[in-house]
């Protein structure tokens, strides 16, 4: 009697979850075409319904009775589903479609951030403007605003396609492309089961910060995960001839990446015992960032103006030396910044990463320190940032 009742409950849940998946997919389609104006509300965001799909699809898979498979616990079913490469590919394909649809949804509903226009016109003026990569919105060439020479590589493609859809779709494609490289990194590192590798990749694809980058249309920082994962893969394979060029590619994404890489350099040297990699990574990274901020940006601006974004840390001082000294001599105030809600809310998205080992702390502490200690006006924007 109990077994029969349990079977009925499982079949009911299976049918309801399948219906929920279908209904959620229908809602996403209506949102994309801007027709989700229903009697019970007007819907504009795709994410709530994608979450419903995840949950409903999970319930469907766990309650599906397969003949000849024997009885398994829910945890065993879950591990089998995620460990299977075919299932993983299907889930990954779903995420890729979601990335594209969410990007198009933002575009057609006129909610793309104005940064997209800055990048688009900068690339256009890279081959058709009187001043190289000039931005009318910024009033200066883009490379004097942010030193991101990696953008130059997109200019030929932008010249060929000559459509905003090129840049619009580059972002989700590059963002998704970093996941297979992460998967290769996990396999190269060793010690991970098929379930762990696939599950970490799915967590990465669904991380709130990763999803939020889709809201801007395009940001050059989307290349950072792909470049860093690729560089780290060849580091694990001990192929310096490929590691260092990819490290340079990561640094070329934005002028402040070199500061973040100091944590990686420390980890390589102290945790892995690879002192040459660690020392060279630190020297190359810090040299790149300092040269970008104090040499490249002032030179390209033509006016010799300093780094414009230093004002974000103005409560601590007017230059890097004064800022670091103020942080070192005011530990209580520093702790208040680090432990404030915007900072904790942002970095709570990283809690699934195994940062509990003391030697791994610098990997996330430096980005945390840099982004959390900005002025209150800029710190309050952390939750909506797409480029951290």
């Amino acid at each position: 009697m109990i077994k029969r009742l349990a079977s009925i409950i499982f079949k009911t849940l299976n049918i309801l979850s399948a219906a929920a998946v279908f209904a959620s997919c229908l809602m996403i389609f209506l949102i994309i075409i801007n027709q989700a104006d229903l009697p019970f509300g007007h819907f504009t965001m795709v994410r709530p319904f994608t979450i419903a799909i995840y949950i409903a699809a999970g319930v469907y898979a766990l309650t599906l009775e397969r003949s000849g498979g024997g009885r398994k616990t829910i945890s065993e079913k879950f591990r089998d589903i995620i460990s299977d490469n075919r299932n993983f590919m299907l889930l990954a394909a779903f995420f890729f479609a979601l990335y594209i649809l969410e990007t198009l949804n933002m575009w057609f509903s006129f909610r793309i951030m104005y940064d997209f226009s800055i990048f688009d016109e900068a690339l256009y003026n890279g081959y058709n403007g009187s001043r190289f990569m000039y931005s009318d919105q910024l009033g200066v060439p883009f490379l004097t605003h942010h030193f991101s020479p990696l953008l130059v590589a997109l200019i030929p493609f932008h010249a060929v396609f000559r459509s905003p859809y090129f840049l619009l779709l580059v972002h989700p494609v590059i963002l998704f492309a970093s996941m297979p490289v992460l998967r290769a990194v996990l396999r190269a590192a060793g010690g991970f089961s098929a379930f762990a590798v696939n599950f970490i990749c799915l967590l990465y694809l669904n991380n709130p910060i990763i999803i939020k980058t889709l809201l801007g249309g395009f940001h050059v920082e989307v290349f950072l995960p792909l470049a860093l994962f690729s560089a780290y893969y060849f580091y694990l394979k001990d192929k310096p001839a490929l590691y260092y060029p990819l490290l340079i590619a990561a640094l070329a994404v934005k002028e402040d990446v070199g500061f973040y890489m100091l944590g990686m350099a420390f980890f390589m040297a102290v945790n892995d015992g690879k002192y040459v990699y660690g020392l060279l990574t630190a020297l190359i990274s810090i040299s790149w960032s300092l040269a970008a901020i104090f040499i490249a940006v002032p030179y390209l601006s033509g006016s010799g103006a300093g780094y414009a974004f230093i004002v974000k840390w103005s409560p601590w001082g007017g230059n890097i030396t004064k800022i670091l000294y103020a942080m070192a001599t005011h530990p209580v105030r520093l702790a208040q910044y680090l432990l404030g809600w915007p900072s904790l809310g942002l970095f709570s998205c990283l809690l699934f990463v195994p940062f509990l080992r003391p030697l791994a702390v610098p990997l996330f502490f430096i980005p945390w320190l840099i982004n959390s200690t900005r002025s209150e006006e800029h710190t309050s924007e952390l939750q909506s940032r797409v480029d951290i």
Side-chain angles (χ1 to χ4, degrees), residues 78-379:
F78 179 72
R79 292 183 69 89
D80 289 345
I81 291 168
I82 301 300
S83 300
D84 185 81
N85 281 331
R86 185 174 58 180
N87 290 337
F88 174 78
M89 294 300 179
L90 288 173
L91 289 169
F94 171 79
F95 274 106
F96 180 69
L98 168 64
Y99 282 13
I100 298 295
L101 291 174
E102 178 66 359
T103 300
L104 294 175
N105 173 43
M106 297 300 294
W107 175 263
F108 289 121
S109 58
F110 302 101
R111 288 184 289 137
I112 290 291
M113 294 173 63
Y114 75 94
D115 296 39
F116 177 82
S117 297
I118 295 175
F119 287 108
D120 194 44
E121 67 179 355
L123 290 175
Y124 177 78
N125 287 328
Y127 59 88
N128 201 44
S130 57
R131 297 183 65 183
F132 185 68
M133 296 190 74
Y134 185 82
S135 169
D136 292 319
Q137 293 195 52
L138 297 176
V140 294
F142 181 83
L143 294 181
T144 68
H145 183 71
H146 279 305
F147 189 67
S148 304
L150 190 67
L151 271 178
V152 177
L154 292 180
I155 291 176
F157 299 99
H158 196 279
V160 170
F161 292 102
R162 290 178 176 263
S163 168
Y165 287 102
F166 162 71
L167 200 58
L168 187 72
L169 296 177
V170 160
H171 189 106
V173 170
I174 296 298
L175 185 65
F176 180 83
S178 62
M179 183 277 292
V181 184
L182 172 61
R183 198 166 184 237
V185 167
L186 294 170
R187 287 174 167 175
F192 294 98
S193 65
F195 167 78
V197 169
N198 291 347
F199 193 53
I200 289 172
C201 289
L202 293 174
L203 285 173
Y204 169 76
L205 288 175
N206 197 39
N207 185 272
I209 297 301
I210 297 296
I211 298 294
K212 275 188 177 182
T213 68
L214 299 170
L215 306 183
F218 175 82
H219 256 260
V220 67
E221 290 86 354
V222 74
F223 286 97
L224 190 54
L226 180 61
L228 280 180
F229 291 158
S230 299
Y232 193 67
Y233 173 79
F234 288 112
Y235 161 76
L236 292 174
K237 292 293 185 178
D238 195 21
K239 295 184 177 180
L242 295 172
Y243 166 73
Y244 290 108
L246 286 165
L247 172 63
I248 296 296
L251 295 172
V253 170
K254 202 174 175 185
E255 68 279 353
D256 57 350
V257 174
F259 299 121
Y260 303 149
M261 289 303 297
L262 293 178
M264 179 65 74
F266 175 86
F267 186 80
M268 290 174 173
V270 179
N271 184 78
D272 296 346
K274 296 186 177 181
Y275 299 104
V276 174
Y277 272 108
L279 180 61
L280 287 178
T281 297
L283 288 175
I284 293 171
S285 299
I286 195 65
S287 298
W288 179 282
S289 286
L290 293 178
I293 292 173
F294 294 110
I295 299 176
V297 169
Y299 174 77
L300 292 172
S301 68
S303 62
Y307 185 51
F309 289 95
I310 200 72
V311 69
K312 293 185 176 183
W313 292 268
S314 57
W316 300 93
N319 58 54
I320 292 179
T321 303
K322 291 181 179 179
I323 290 170
L324 293 176
Y325 177 77
M327 289 181 183
T329 54
H330 297 80
V332 175
R333 183 183 173 199
L334 178 61
Q336 290 175 338
Y337 272 83
L338 291 174
L339 301 177
W341 166 244
S343 303
L344 291 181
L346 173 67
F347 287 95
S348 65
C349 298
L350 301 174
L351 289 180
F352 73 92
V353 183
F355 283 148
L356 299 181
R357 290 182 296 168
L359 294 180
V361 169
L363 288 173
F364 74 95
F365 181 75
I366 295 177
W368 189 353
L369 175 69
I370 291 175
N371 289 284
S372 299
T373 53
R374 301 182 301 175
S375 63
E376 292 184 6
E377 175 187 356
H378 295 104
T379 303

